Amino acid sequence: MIQFSFKQFSVQQDKCAMKIGTDGVLLGAWCPIDNHPFSVLDIGSGTGILSLMLAQRSNAEKIDAIEIDENAFEQCVENFESSPWSDRLYCYHAALDEFVDEMEDEEYDLIISNPPFYSENYKSDNNSRDLARFQDALPFEELVEAAQLLLSENGIFTVIIPFKEEEKFIDLCAEAKLYPVKVTRVKGTPTAEIKRSLLAFKRYELPVLTADELIIETARHQYTQEYIELTKDFYLKM
């Protein structure tokens, strides 16, 4: 599917190695915005889906995205320009370390990322797809370091990662004095294993944090009420 249509915007994805998937939509819909962000940073934007969802959900006046892959960057810019929020969205064609060096005095109230997460050594012949999928293109260490440097005092840093990486990622964040304030573990069906972790971090620690669980469907295309509630503002058929 070259164009993916949501309720308030459409996304072209023919130039992007990584197409719109459940992970991105989950993160964009789940991400906490209770700190009423003025500025948002989307790291590794791909099509721009997360920035667009946050433009719809929040009143943030400045939504910056970074994308290293040239084709994905061009597509992200096109998607931003054709959206109802083009005046609030801006995409940078840069690597994260370059962006951090350039923007060291900037602060963001919300930093969001659906990072590449295949850490195994398997690679394909498609460089763009590998860049979008493999962790060595954006190591978790680099992502956390950027969040530590660019997050405002009351800011929220939020990601979706494989559940098996959850403990390691939380430990990395703790080293950077970023602490989990919301954790949701995602399963495809009630009997499936936990597949993903949705994580949100702040600069202060909560005395007690209870993780919750989200199940996507009870049977093929039979979505749970929780999943419908979370995504109904976006998906056309929810």
Side-chain angles (χ1 to χ4, degrees):
M1 189 185 289
I2 292 174
Q3 178 171 302
F4 201 107
S5 294
F6 292 94
K7 284 182 177 168
Q8 293 190 33
F9 61 91
S10 292
V11 172
Q12 301 290 339
Q13 53 180 358
D14 55 301
K15 296 179 189 171
C16 280
M18 291 307 290
K19 309 303 183 197
I20 304 266
T22 305
D23 284 3
V25 176
L26 269 177
L27 179 60
W30 174 91
C31 163
I33 52 170
D34 49 357
N35 64 336
H36 307 292
F38 172 86
S39 53
V40 174
L41 178 63
D42 174 4
I43 298 175
S45 62
T47 58
I49 174 69
L50 291 174
S51 296
L52 290 159
M53 290 180 77
L54 285 163
Q56 179 181 323
R57 285 185 61 207
S58 78
N59 294 318
E61 290 186 27
K62 173 183 168 183
I63 302 176
D64 290 343
I66 320 169
E67 178 51 58
I68 191 171
D69 180 78
E70 188 165 359
N71 289 331
F73 160 73
E74 287 174 7
Q75 188 121 68
C76 185
V77 170
E78 288 166 17
N79 287 330
F80 284 0
E81 286 176 352
S82 62
S83 80
W85 312 286
S86 56
D87 57 328
R88 298 159 56 199
L89 296 157
Y90 189 84
C91 190
Y92 293 85
H93 184 207
L96 182 55
D97 55 350
E98 296 169 350
F99 181 85
V100 170
D101 289 346
E102 190 78 19
M103 297 289 197
E104 57 185 344
D105 297 328
E106 288 286 328
E107 281 191 341
Y108 292 92
D109 303 319
L110 178 62
I111 297 177
I112 190 166
S113 184
N114 176 7
F117 52 65
Y118 286 89
S119 51
E120 291 80 7
N121 294 324
Y122 172 79
K123 291 282 193 292
S124 72
D125 294 329
N126 183 329
N127 288 338
S128 289
R129 192 166 171 79
D130 289 349
L131 199 63
R133 288 182 72 131
F134 287 91
Q135 211 176 297
D136 51 11
L138 177 58
F140 286 163
E141 290 80 359
E142 194 179 329
L143 181 59
V144 171
E145 185 184 352
Q148 180 194 26
L149 291 168
L150 297 174
L151 197 65
S152 66
E153 190 179 347
N154 194 39
I156 296 171
F157 168 47
T158 181
V159 295
I160 184 167
I161 57 171
F163 172 63
K164 65 177 185 178
E165 305 274 5
E166 179 188 294
E167 192 177 343
K168 171 188 161 187
F169 196 89
I170 288 174
D171 288 346
L172 265 180
C173 284
E175 288 171 24
K177 296 188 166 49
L178 296 168
Y179 306 101
V181 292
K182 189 178 178 188
V183 175
T184 299
R185 297 176 181 138
V186 183
K187 297 166 75 165
T189 64
T191 54
E193 291 182 3
I194 296 171
K195 193 176 176 189
R196 297 279 184 267
S197 293
L198 289 154
L199 306 173
F201 298 86
K202 285 189 174 182
R203 291 194 183 276
Y204 55 81
E205 214 165 343
L206 292 183
V208 179
L209 174 69
T210 308
D212 57 24
E213 195 171 272
L214 174 69
I215 296 166
I216 293 176
E217 48 186 17
T218 50
R220 187 84 178 133
H221 300 310
Q222 300 293 311
Y223 297 108
T224 63
Q225 199 52 46
E226 290 79 11
Y227 183 70
I228 291 169
E229 275 302 309
L230 190 62
T231 59
K232 67 181 181 186
D233 290 344
F234 298 98
Y235 283 132
L236 291 172
K237 293 179 181 173
M238 286 295 186

